[in-house]
Amino acid sequence: QLRERLAHLQLDGAVAQGAGGAEAPPFLYGTHYSTPMYVLYYLIREFPEYLLRFEVGGFDLPDRVFDSLAATCDSVLHNPADLKELIPEFYASDGSFLVNSHGLRFGTKQSGKPVGDVSLPPWCSSSPEGFVNEMRGALESDSVSKQLHAWIDLVFGYALRGEAALRHFNVFYHLTYTEDIDVESIADPVERAAVEAQCR
């Protein structure tokens, strides 16, 4: 599946269009794997007030609200634009973020299914807390422990930038590297606003 996904991505020296018509360096991923919206996507049931601030007073369309682990995983694996990583609550919580305990009205999907609690995978013990315990067990397993250093290298280490990032297919749109951006030096107010919005 990774090969299929990489086939959709471009990193051949072609120049992308950046903010204000400027040229942007080539990249594989047009957004970052961890953004405030991705975190709130998962936490919508527990902290709806934060998401409502981003969504300007209303929830997203029911078909786009997080309600199925299987659908979310399928999207991340097969949709080149979907880069969401799981958040810590999947490994260290009581699982309450998966339950619509506030009775929030997210609406009804096009399929006719109302959006409520998150559908858990069939392999879990059926309770949100049990699911989180099983996820934590997998994270702490020998198999994951033997590979964890590779993820750390991508996210925090030597493969985050430069030639190592290229070799590891770990190149994001240049505005996701906010430490390289000097917003104060952008004179055009429209371009500045666009860069600030992208960096949020």
Side-chain angles (χ1 to χ4, degrees), residues 65-146:
V65 171
F66 173 51
D67 83 322
S68 164
L69 284 158
T72 298
C73 288
D74 185 65
S75 179
V76 169
L77 289 172
H78 297 102
N79 177 357
D82 192 346
L83 309 175
K84 289 186 285 295
E85 282 199 346
L86 298 180
I87 59 175
E89 283 76 2
F90 279 94
Y91 308 99
S93 75
D94 63 2
S96 60
F97 74 102
L98 301 166
V99 179
N100 189 9
S101 58
H102 299 298
L104 301 169
R105 297 180 186 173
F106 297 118
T108 303
K109 297 177 148 237
Q110 291 181 34
S111 66
K113 178 188 175 228
V115 178
D117 295 345
V118 174
S119 297
L120 301 175
W123 51 260
C124 85
S125 63
S126 78
S127 78
E129 186 174 15
F131 168 74
V132 170
N133 288 337
E134 291 183 49
M135 291 289 286
R136 183 173 42 257
L139 182 65
E140 294 172 349
S141 71
D142 288 341
S143 176
V144 171
S145 293
K146 290 176 185 172

Side-chain angles (χ1 to χ4, degrees), residues 32-34 85 88 148-161 170 172 177 179:
H32 217 265
Y33 50 82
S34 182
E85 282 199 346
L148 194 57
H149 67 281
W151 176 82
I152 291 170
D153 288 342
L154 288 173
V155 176
F156 304 108
Y158 82 99
L160 179 62
R161 306 289 291 272
N170 195 37
F172 294 85
Y177 302 104
E179 65 275 8

